[in-house]
Amino acid sequence: MGKIIAITNQKGGVGKTTTCVNLAAALALTRRRVLLIDLDPQGNATMGSGVDKHEIEYSSCDVLLGEIDIRQAILPSEAAGYDVLPGNSDLTAAEVGLLEMDDRERRLAEALAGVRERYDYLLIDCPPSLNMLTINALTAADGVLIPIQCEYYALEGLSALLETIEQVRATVNPRLHIEGLLRTMFDARNRLANQVSEQLLEHFADRVYRTIVPRNVRLAEAPSHGMPVLRYDKASRGALAYLALAGELVRREHEAQQTPTSATTE
Ligand code: ATP
Ligand code: MG
């Protein structure tokens, strides 16, 4: 059964969508079956996966509001190598509509239950806010991946996010855990970036991915061509970083699965 990872940080522009699209593409390249779920009204992950958000018949909005079966809305993306549950500005209406529904935080979890078997990884791109869409993502997810841009205000707001995760875990989703914190748009020559990175390691230790995504113009260019960087320029530093992240994610999961067994044999 596929693992569901919510990629979230209520801070805007920290690399959530770039991470969602390129991690999805990197996992797909290693022959994992991947579904990308766009929960952001901006629809950037949809566009970045080569699906035109203006042309779609159904979106994640229709799924959340229970208007259609999720299978009707999922589209294969040839350009990206994975499937997409697209999103667009209709999601703004979904956020309001959800507030009037029973079970409003479980709508995505219930929909994904129907397709989870088909995938190895289901990655959710969240909007830059802690709203009902993000709560749906956290309720559906097994783990949370938090992209962090190492700059002065990076850690501000992180405690609100961690509290929200804790609340969701305590109420609707006990299996939710922090999958990892990812340093994005990193500039190794910048002293402040290095200081913030040190602070992250102090606070979160091995929950910080070893992989660091560097600032790389190829990552910023790829979405305008409607494709992940692995298709646009597979030798770029950005592409290599997301391949490394996919490797680290898969390796961590193997280790986590093996730990209980090796502990009993020691
Ligand atoms: P939002 O909160 O608006 O959804 P986000 O957290 O999804 O934003 P992105 O859209 O992934 O962030 O990135 C913000 C901008 O920075 C985009 O223009 C993107 O192309 C660019 N960008 C992201 N990561 C990198 C990187 N490693 N190097 C260079 N540019 C990057
Ligand atoms: Mg985004």
Side-chain angles (χ1 to χ4, degrees), residues 4-262:
I4 305 177
I5 301 176
I7 299 177
T8 190
N9 185 337
Q10 76 275 28
K11 202 165 157 48
V14 296
K16 293 180 287 296
T17 301
T18 303
T19 298
C20 198
V21 166
N22 292 298
L23 179 59
L27 287 166
L29 208 71
T30 60
R31 295 175 185 271
R32 263 80 185 181
R33 297 162 303 164
V34 182
L35 174 65
L36 179 148
I37 298 136
D38 194 350
L39 276 200
D40 185 350
Q42 297 179 94
N44 293 343
T46 301
M47 297 295 280
S49 303
V51 174
D52 189 337
K53 66 179 177 183
H54 306 291
E55 301 286 319
I56 51 180
E57 194 173 354
Y58 300 117
S59 73
S60 53
C61 168
D62 304 297
V63 174
L64 289 169
L65 297 180
E67 282 161 10
I68 50 149
D69 185 289
I70 186 170
R71 276 164 274 238
Q72 291 174 269
I74 291 176
L75 300 169
S77 167
E78 296 266 326
Y82 51 80
D83 287 354
V84 181
L85 174 58
N88 60 22
S89 55
D90 292 352
L91 277 162
T92 313
E95 215 235 311
V96 179
L98 279 170
L99 294 176
E100 292 165 5
M101 296 177 124
D102 295 334
D103 246 12
R104 54 181 172 252
E105 62 280 285
R106 292 183 203 269
R107 307 295 301 192
L108 183 66
E110 281 162 12
L112 290 182
V115 293
R116 208 171 162 175
E117 292 288 343
R118 299 181 179 188
Y119 298 99
D120 299 306
Y121 289 94
L122 300 91
L123 306 182
I124 310 173
D125 188 32
C126 293
S129 105
L130 287 173
N131 61 14
M132 194 41 71
L133 296 168
T134 301
I135 298 294
N136 261 271
L138 295 177
T139 304
D142 300 301
V144 188
L145 191 160
I146 308 174
I148 295 183
Q149 197 184 342
C150 293
E151 55 174 28
Y152 187 60
Y153 292 112
L155 301 176
E156 201 178 87
L158 199 53
S159 54
L161 175 57
L162 297 177
E163 266 169 41
T164 306
I165 292 170
E166 195 46 56
Q167 265 171 24
V168 171
R169 185 179 19 223
T171 52
V172 283
N173 183 9
R175 67 176 193 287
L176 187 66
H177 65 272
I178 294 176
E179 185 71 25
L181 291 89
L182 176 68
R183 291 164 284 177
T184 59
M185 296 183 232
F186 196 79
D187 178 0
R189 294 162 305 180
N190 182 316
R191 227 178 86 204
L192 181 61
N194 284 294
Q195 281 171 1
V196 174
S197 171
E198 284 302 315
Q199 281 178 2
L200 277 179
L201 290 167
E202 265 172 41
H203 278 86
F204 297 98
D206 55 7
R207 279 193 291 177
V208 181
Y209 289 111
R210 295 170 68 116
T211 306
I212 298 178
V213 180
R215 187 168 281 285
N216 176 242
V217 69
R218 294 307 210 196
L219 282 170
E221 289 168 357
S224 66
H225 299 269
M227 58 178 88
V229 76
L230 282 158
R231 289 285 170 102
Y232 177 62
D233 183 353
K234 66 178 193 302
S236 62
R237 293 203 309 142
L240 297 178
Y242 280 104
L243 272 176
L245 178 65
E248 185 174 356
L249 199 118
V250 169
R251 206 163 46 245
R252 275 192 185 195
E253 207 175 328
H254 278 300
E255 282 167 10
Q257 279 163 2
Q258 278 162 8
T259 313
T261 344
S262 53

